[in-house]
Amino acid sequence: MKMCKAIDDPKTGNDTFEKLYGAANIYYNYTGRATCFDLNDNSDPHGLGGWTWQACTEMVMPTDGNNKESIFPPSEWDYNERVRFCQLILDVKPRPDWITTEFGGYNIERVLKRFGSNIIFFNGLRDPWSGGGVLKDISKSIVAIIAKEGAHHVDLRWSSKEDPEWLREVRAREINIISKWISQYYQTLTDFSH
């Protein structure tokens, strides 16, 4: 939320780099003591090093980009380069089909109907990842909660008095759903023991 506020700050006008700096400053300088951001520093308190492991084993995502729509240098996806990187850094070989093999990603609705239960999929539509998310209920116990304003796993972050009302409502709904599941579980234990 605070990163979005920094990006939307009217004081930065239309200066894209000022907006990006404002967002990065909140993420990498939440204490206010950092004098520069070394994005290659492995001491990141947010644990982004774990993402490297996932991107080399479970979540191999072939992405590339150009500098016509981005501030980043152009990049072209090369699976062999990914293999070399993962073996050099982590001594693992990427498994590009793992996620779809493990979770049936080609028809997630069918797979979840057959094998899943008690799952809440939260998607904030401000998050570009939401396009690949579960955006509708699959069953009574596989529920999608959508928030127009939300972003990447904001519902799982700590709460604060500055949370917007929609986020409080999302969390309350999640707590209510999970409480029902727990009650149902204990009820089945009681019914089973008699």
Side-chain angles (χ1 to χ4, degrees), residues 21-194:
Y21 171 79
N25 193 42
I26 288 167
Y27 191 81
Y28 288 101
N29 191 20
Y30 59 91
T31 64
R33 292 192 298 261
T35 56
C36 70
F37 309 144
D38 181 358
L39 303 183
N40 293 318
D41 179 356
N42 288 328
S43 65
D44 183 356
H46 304 291
L48 294 179
W51 175 248
T52 302
W53 173 260
Q54 275 195 301
C56 279
T57 57
E58 302 168 346
M59 303 287 289
V60 179
M61 294 186 276
T63 56
D64 57 29
N66 63 61
N67 61 0
K68 291 179 181 72
E69 292 133 10
S70 170
I71 64 167
F72 299 103
S75 62
E76 203 169 297
W77 171 256
D78 181 343
Y79 177 72
N80 293 324
E81 183 56 37
R82 171 57 56 170
V83 170
R84 281 191 289 281
F85 170 81
C86 295
Q87 288 181 322
L88 176 69
I89 300 298
L90 300 167
D91 196 28
V92 295
K93 186 174 181 192
R95 299 177 293 170
D97 298 322
W98 181 86
I99 198 88
T100 52
T101 302
E102 185 71 16
F103 295 112
Y106 291 112
N107 191 338
I108 194 75
E109 186 173 344
R110 185 184 79 203
V111 171
L112 288 173
K113 275 184 180 177
R114 294 175 86 188
F115 301 108
S117 68
N118 296 5
I119 303 171
I120 298 172
F121 289 100
F122 169 78
N123 279 283
L125 298 182
R126 274 193 158 178
D127 187 340
W129 292 109
S130 67
V134 175
L135 301 174
K136 64 178 184 171
D137 292 352
I138 292 175
S139 71
K140 287 183 178 181
S141 70
I142 303 175
V143 181
I145 298 176
I146 311 301
K148 184 177 76 173
E149 303 88 349
H152 213 59
H153 54 68
V154 68
D155 60 320
L156 300 177
R157 295 181 187 267
W158 60 92
S159 61
S160 81
K161 63 181 190 286
E162 296 175 10
D163 288 342
E165 187 59 32
W166 68 263
L167 181 54
R168 290 185 188 137
E169 290 170 6
V170 163
R171 288 184 178 136
R173 184 171 174 209
E174 290 172 339
I175 289 168
N176 186 36
I177 291 167
I178 294 167
S179 296
K180 285 181 184 174
W181 290 340
I182 292 170
S183 294
Q184 289 169 351
Y185 170 77
Y186 283 115
Q187 184 62 48
T188 34
L189 285 180
T190 304
D191 294 346
F192 188 71
S193 65
H194 289 108

